[in-house]
Amino acid sequence: MTRAGGRTRPSSSHSTTLRPEKHRYFTRSRLKRAVIFNDQDGRINLTSDEEHRHKTELLKPLDRGKALKVTHVNVQKEENGLRHHTFDYQVDNLMVRRGWPFTMSFDFDRDVDVNNDRIRLQLAYGSRPQFTKGTLLRLDVHLKNKSKPSLGSNKFAANVYKVSGRHLSLTATTPPDAFVGPYALFLETRRRGDKSSKRRQKLKTGEVYILFNTWCEDDVVYVKDEEERREYVMNEHGRIWRGSALSNEGTPWYYGQFDRPVLEAAIFLMDSADVKYSARRGPIAFVRTLSAMTNSNDDDGVLVGRWTKTYPKGCTLPTDWTGSVKILNKFMSENKPVEFGQCWVFAGVITSLLRALGIPTRCVTNFSSAHDRDSSMTIDNHFDENNQPIKWMNDSVWNYHVWNESYFKRPDLPEGYDGWQAHDATPQEVSEGVMRCGPSPVKAVKLGHVYLNYDVPFVFSEVNGDKVMWKVSEDGDMEVVDIDTHAVGKYISTKAVGSNLRHDLTLEYKYPDGSKEEADVLKLVHQYSSRADNDIYNKPNEDVEFRIAMTPPIVGFGEKIMIEIHALNKSKVKCKIKGRVTLTSCYYTGVLDKDIKSLPFYETMLPKSEHSFRFDVSPHEYLNKLNLDACVMVNAIFNVEGTKQNFARSFSFSLLKPNLIIKVPKDIKVKEETSGSVQFTNSVGINLTSATIHLEGPCISSTREISKPIKPGESVKIHFKICPRRTGYCEINAKLTSDQLTDIDGSASFQIFKS
């Protein structure tokens, strides 16, 4: 299948060898530019990739004279795979990590003459291999010198470790900054002093893939701790935290970075973006490019983002996905962006792509995550004179937002910014004209160094922006009524190393609320705000103290919502309070939907007195107002008459949904068929129609439809079969979706034993 510009998408069916050779040479857009800009001849080189390869003599086969002829090659995939932590890739190609040696062996048509035979190993990288560009590597094999290569060698080399009769074994070494991606292999042989005897054979082994190496100290992605390497490069299963600051849990996700076509898709996307091969040494180009190419806003990227109330019939909702492999399979096979994704889906796919390349990567969730659209580094909410929220004017604070972090050094920045780098594929704002974000050093975000690359101001505002409440008069004048300096950036979360528990990252992104360090950072950042010249932080004395909370803080779908407001008059005089509490259904992005209930509040308070009241919302008042996200926004605003004191707060929460129960036998053996089941009990009090259960894991990818409505209190069970392909830890994820309620999930983890 071909895309614009002559790019070709490799087929994702049946064969387990990545990137068939016939698809490799139309991966850059020179030919397209030559067609579009046909007047450029004489200004730039318009030679096509295919023509370049055809003219390059070193890529042409030779077969002359008595030079050695290769009869068999063994790339020792299993042995190299175990040493390089690449054994789990489900492909026939040899996969190795840069900075480490790998072994190969050759059989020839006659005995090797160490005195007179000359051998050279050649590696060709990219669609236009060229010796002067460092993409055509020619390594002399010295038959008389047997030596052991050292780890972390700074150059390509080939060393003999055994010559016996017609057999030759050698070790190839790659530098820790080698180009990442596929290399074609050639072997060139000749006879000493005989120019008529020369052979050049392209080895029929498939391309060798060289990946980033988090185990190599000289690689920029090096991670010191072995448990972290296992988690952030090797673990195929994860948890992505979702919900709200009040109620959240880890959603199971199957990354499947070793499955086809994950690595294939990563390389294909880099080629589709026309990324120069010289940029493919370091992780920045991969992170920045794949962040752009995973969404479809600027190109034919992987996923179409959609956050609407309704979706086309028959499509896959964002909440239906249980892992990345189904998405990437669909993208590579159908030759078009996949519908539909939202933030956690983009982050899950990015994690899969980057882990497949060897870059340590994790999903990170920011609860109460701000979206600053105007570089003010504040989040602005507006109320009319009746204390009703003005929906169309407001910035949004997402219940949660999921992005990624990858671990690597930043040689492009001053010292001190190595480590975790935040980046985001969800299409929110443009970065250098493209929908992407990062990589931003997490250390820079915490320190408020918003002048650094890339997109540090946007990430800073997501975790540290102030929420400013504005009162808008009938004639359009505005005044600040309150500022909540602790409204955003809560419970920043990722999956813990070695377990499915939550690991808190909040203090990696920001200093503690109210600390001197936080105040100093905010003062620094304010200098770079679009509102730097406006002082909005002058607040009057607070005679009345307000608190607002949910009781209980976690509410299940179909349960009563109870909001409690508490007021304390600290002054020595009587005061009158006027206010309003409004509940609105919303999307998890903080965008308001339907009004649920609004209640005014009037109270005269005696000096030094307290007053509390409760605001209840029954299920029948809100169930028909919810969208599929099942999120609710609470807006409260109070005015103290006779003073200029105002209190305004808003927060959102997600209604807790029931879980799926997955059961599998205790004794599961590799390559043996085993049965399991998924059960769901409807505890939400309404009929669920058009229900579908999605299953995904290393040994299953299935969708089952439930033909009848699931009535309140009713249980349904489906059965499935799995046939595991390898031993070790395994996890199956399931998701139920319906017309009324989506995103009901469950998972089962188990060990697979030898037969």
Side-chain angles (χ1 to χ4, degrees):
M1 296 183 177
T2 58
R3 305 177 75 189
R7 298 188 180 96
T8 305
R9 185 193 305 276
S11 169
S12 60
S13 62
H14 304 302
S15 171
T16 57
T17 301
L18 288 185
R19 308 260 302 166
E21 181 189 343
K22 63 181 180 181
H23 293 134
R24 282 251 7 251
Y25 307 140
F26 297 95
T27 58
R28 305 187 72 184
S29 60
R30 285 182 175 84
L31 187 57
K32 178 182 176 182
R33 292 198 295 266
V35 172
I36 296 174
F37 304 107
N38 55 18
D39 59 343
Q40 300 302 303
D41 192 18
R43 188 178 72 85
I44 59 175
N45 185 355
L46 298 178
T47 304
S48 70
D49 293 345
E50 185 178 42
E51 186 180 0
H52 173 91
R53 296 184 70 91
H54 180 72
K55 290 182 175 181
T56 302
E57 293 296 326
L58 292 176
L59 300 178
K60 296 177 181 179
L62 287 175
D63 188 5
R64 297 200 308 253
K66 299 178 181 179
L68 287 167
K69 183 178 181 178
V70 177
T71 58
H72 178 72
V73 184
N74 182 359
V75 294
Q76 301 177 17
K77 183 176 184 292
E78 183 173 340
E79 297 89 336
N80 285 314
L82 290 171
R83 287 194 295 265
H84 285 251
H85 309 283
T86 59
F87 182 76
D88 290 334
Y89 283 92
Q90 300 300 302
V91 295
D92 290 337
N93 299 69
L94 174 61
M95 322 292 289
V96 298
R97 301 195 185 275
R98 64 187 192 177
W100 280 3
F102 62 94
T103 55
M104 305 173 64
S105 63
F106 302 85
D107 291 325
F108 298 100
D109 60 341
R110 59 170 174 79
D111 288 351
V112 177
D113 182 348
V114 296
N115 294 312
N116 295 303
D117 284 323
R118 298 292 181 264
I119 298 176
R120 180 175 284 158
L121 180 67
Q122 180 172 288
L123 294 86
Y125 179 81
S127 59
R128 301 170 69 90
Q130 191 167 324
F131 182 78
T132 54
K133 304 296 184 184
T135 53
L136 187 59
L137 305 155
R138 293 168 60 73
L139 314 178
D140 288 324
V141 180
H142 299 290
L143 297 175
K144 290 186 176 181
N145 298 331
K146 298 178 183 179
S147 59
K148 292 184 178 180
S150 59
L151 293 177
S153 173
N154 62 1
K155 62 180 182 179
F156 281 91
N159 298 275
V160 172
Y161 71 87
K162 183 180 180 182
V163 179
S164 176
R166 300 185 177 192
H167 183 82
L168 167 69
S169 297
L170 62 80
T171 300
T173 306
T174 64
D177 63 346
F179 299 124
V180 170
Y183 291 72
L185 293 181
F186 298 77
L187 200 72
E188 190 175 285
T189 60
R190 59 186 177 86
R191 294 285 289 173
R192 188 180 69 163
D194 183 0
K195 293 184 179 181
S196 65
S197 294
K198 190 173 185 180
R199 277 196 175 89
R200 185 183 300 116
Q201 297 172 256
K202 185 171 184 180
L203 303 182
K204 298 177 181 180
T205 57
E207 294 161 316
V208 173
Y209 275 68
I210 297 179
L211 308 176
F212 289 98
N213 191 354
T214 191
W215 285 265
C216 177
E217 291 187 28
D218 296 318
D219 198 317
V220 292
V221 302
Y222 172 68
V223 173
K224 186 176 182 179
D225 184 77
E226 175 63 17
E227 290 302 311
E228 291 186 354
R229 297 171 192 153
R230 292 285 170 185
E231 181 68 50
Y232 301 130
V233 174
M234 300 297 291
N235 195 351
E236 297 176 87
H237 308 278
R239 293 293 185 275
I240 303 177
W241 256 256
R242 299 171 58 214
S244 68
L246 296 174
S247 172
N248 54 75
E249 62 182 350
T251 297
W253 193 265
Y254 178 55
Y255 296 121
Q257 65 266 32
F258 304 121
D259 287 10
R260 292 195 75 239
V262 179
L263 179 60
E264 176 185 18
I267 301 299
F268 175 76
L269 291 168
M270 293 294 289
D271 291 343
S272 297
D274 199 21
V275 178
K276 289 182 171 58
Y277 293 113
S278 59
R280 301 192 195 190
R281 294 182 188 274
I284 292 175
F286 284 90
V287 165
R288 199 148 169 78
T289 301
L290 294 177
S291 292
M293 295 295 293
T294 298
N295 68 70
S296 65
N297 284 55
D298 306 290
D299 42 59
D300 294 328
V302 176
L303 272 167
V304 180
R306 184 158 176 157
W307 288 263
T308 56
K309 185 183 302 185
T310 60
Y311 286 82
K313 200 164 186 68
C315 74
T316 304
L317 301 180
T319 49
D320 290 354
W321 300 113
T322 51
S324 307
V325 178
K326 275 187 181 180
I327 296 170
L328 292 168
N329 259 319
K330 191 174 178 68
F331 170 69
M332 295 296 284
S333 63
E334 295 186 1
N335 196 35
K336 63 181 181 179
V338 177
E339 299 174 337
F340 292 101
Q342 292 178 357
C343 68
W344 73 94
V345 185
F346 288 107
V349 171
I350 280 286
T351 301
S352 302
L353 294 170
L354 294 180
R355 285 188 184 182
L357 291 162
I359 301 173
T361 301
R362 62 191 182 188
C363 290
V364 173
T365 304
N366 179 36
F367 291 102
S368 298
S369 185
H371 183 178
D372 177 22
R373 296 179 297 176
D374 58 3
S375 300
S376 65
M377 299 188 209
T378 60
I379 317 314
D380 299 304
N381 281 13
H382 306 80
F383 297 84
D384 63 21
E385 291 185 336
N386 295 318
N387 292 330
Q388 293 278 17
I390 305 174
K391 298 178 184 179
W392 64 271
M393 295 185 71
N394 292 342
D395 289 336
S396 62
V397 175
W398 297 30
N399 267 16
Y400 66 93
H401 180 50
V402 186
W403 59 73
N404 294 97
E405 287 179 359
S406 293
Y407 193 93
F408 52 86
K409 294 178 181 178
R410 290 299 297 270
D412 59 314
L413 296 178
E415 288 186 12
Y417 301 104
D418 296 343
W420 288 109
Q421 313 291 323
H423 51 95
D424 194 350
T426 301
Q428 295 187 93
E429 301 293 331
V430 297
S431 173
E432 295 181 340
V434 178
M435 279 289 186
R436 59 184 170 190
C437 180
S440 306
V442 173
K443 292 176 183 177
V445 175
K446 182 173 183 175
L447 295 171
H449 294 176
V450 295
Y451 44 82
L452 292 174
N453 285 339
Y454 292 91
D455 308 307
V456 177
F458 186 78
V459 180
F460 179 89
S461 68
E462 288 183 297
V463 302
N464 230 339
D466 292 342
K467 184 182 285 188
V468 182
M469 316 295 183
W470 298 82
K471 178 66 72 69
V472 183
S473 66
E474 287 185 357
D475 60 6
D477 287 338
M478 299 186 193
E479 65 172 336
V480 175
V481 296
D482 202 3
I483 299 176
D484 187 353
T485 58
H486 309 309
V488 304
K490 298 179 181 296
Y491 304 108
I492 303 174
S493 306
T494 192
K495 176 187 173 299
V497 173
S499 82
N500 289 329
L501 300 176
R502 187 184 77 89
H503 175 59
D504 194 276
L505 299 173
T506 308
L507 295 181
E508 300 298 316
Y509 278 85
K510 55 197 292 189
Y511 288 103
D513 287 342
S515 66
K516 180 182 181 301
E517 292 88 350
E518 182 201 36
D520 291 341
V521 168
L522 293 175
K523 184 177 179 181
L524 169 66
V525 170
H526 186 64
Q527 300 175 51
Y528 298 91
S529 167
S530 63
R531 194 181 282 143
D533 296 332
N534 300 333
D535 187 4
I536 60 173
Y537 286 87
N538 290 323
K539 294 184 66 176
N541 293 328
E542 294 184 349
D543 294 329
V544 181
E545 182 181 286
F546 294 93
R547 294 198 312 273
I548 181 169
M550 289 178 57
T551 55
I554 299 174
V555 180
F557 194 96
E559 296 178 350
K560 181 191 290 186
I561 300 170
M562 294 177 285
I563 310 294
E564 189 170 280
I565 294 93
H566 181 79
L568 169 64
N569 182 4
K570 298 184 293 184
S571 72
K572 298 179 181 180
V573 297
K574 183 169 62 175
C575 65
K576 292 183 178 181
I577 299 171
K578 175 185 177 182
R580 179 177 293 274
V581 179
T582 303
L583 263 70
T584 311
S585 67
C586 67
Y587 299 94
Y588 87 94
T589 57
V591 175
L592 299 178
D593 190 8
K594 293 181 180 179
D595 293 332
I596 295 174
K597 190 173 183 178
S598 184
L599 189 70
F601 174 80
Y602 303 94
E603 185 68 30
T604 299
M605 296 189 68
L606 297 174
K608 303 291 184 180
S609 67
E610 297 183 45
H611 181 76
S612 296
F613 84 96
R614 207 175 75 186
F615 180 42
D616 292 353
V617 183
S618 64
H620 82 266
E621 289 179 292
Y622 71 77
L623 281 177
N624 64 344
K625 305 289 182 64
L626 296 175
N627 54 52
L628 292 177
D629 287 353
C631 298
V632 177
M633 176 78 73
V634 179
N635 281 291
I637 183 167
F638 297 94
N639 317 114
V640 180
E641 291 187 3
T643 74
K644 292 185 177 181
Q645 184 186 348
N646 296 280
F647 172 84
R649 288 293 183 270
S650 66
F651 63 89
S652 59
F653 60 92
S654 301
L655 295 166
L656 192 64
K657 301 171 185 177
N659 291 321
L660 299 177
I661 298 174
I662 305 177
K663 292 185 178 180
V664 294
K666 291 183 178 179
D667 188 18
I668 299 178
K669 295 182 179 179
V670 68
K671 297 181 180 178
E672 292 185 7
E673 190 171 80
T674 305
S675 297
S677 66
V678 182
Q679 181 171 319
F680 170 71
T681 300
N682 182 357
S683 61
V684 300
I686 57 175
N687 285 346
L688 301 180
T689 58
S690 302
T692 302
I693 294 178
H694 305 267
L695 289 159
E696 186 169 4
C699 46
I700 189 171
S701 178
S702 176
T703 298
R704 307 285 182 85
E705 295 181 356
I706 310 298
S707 58
K708 297 180 180 180
I710 308 174
K711 298 176 181 179
E714 186 178 24
S715 295
V716 295
K717 180 186 283 189
I718 68 163
H719 297 273
F720 61 85
K721 294 185 182 296
I722 57 174
C723 187
R725 61 179 178 248
R726 61 178 183 268
T727 59
Y729 176 84
C730 186
E731 187 172 75
I732 293 175
N733 303 331
K735 184 91 71 170
L736 184 144
T737 184
S738 70
D739 291 337
Q740 295 75 24
L741 189 61
T742 65
D743 213 15
I744 298 170
D745 56 41
S747 67
S749 57
F750 49 91
Q751 288 290 331
I752 301 169
F753 301 97
K754 292 181 178 179
S755 300

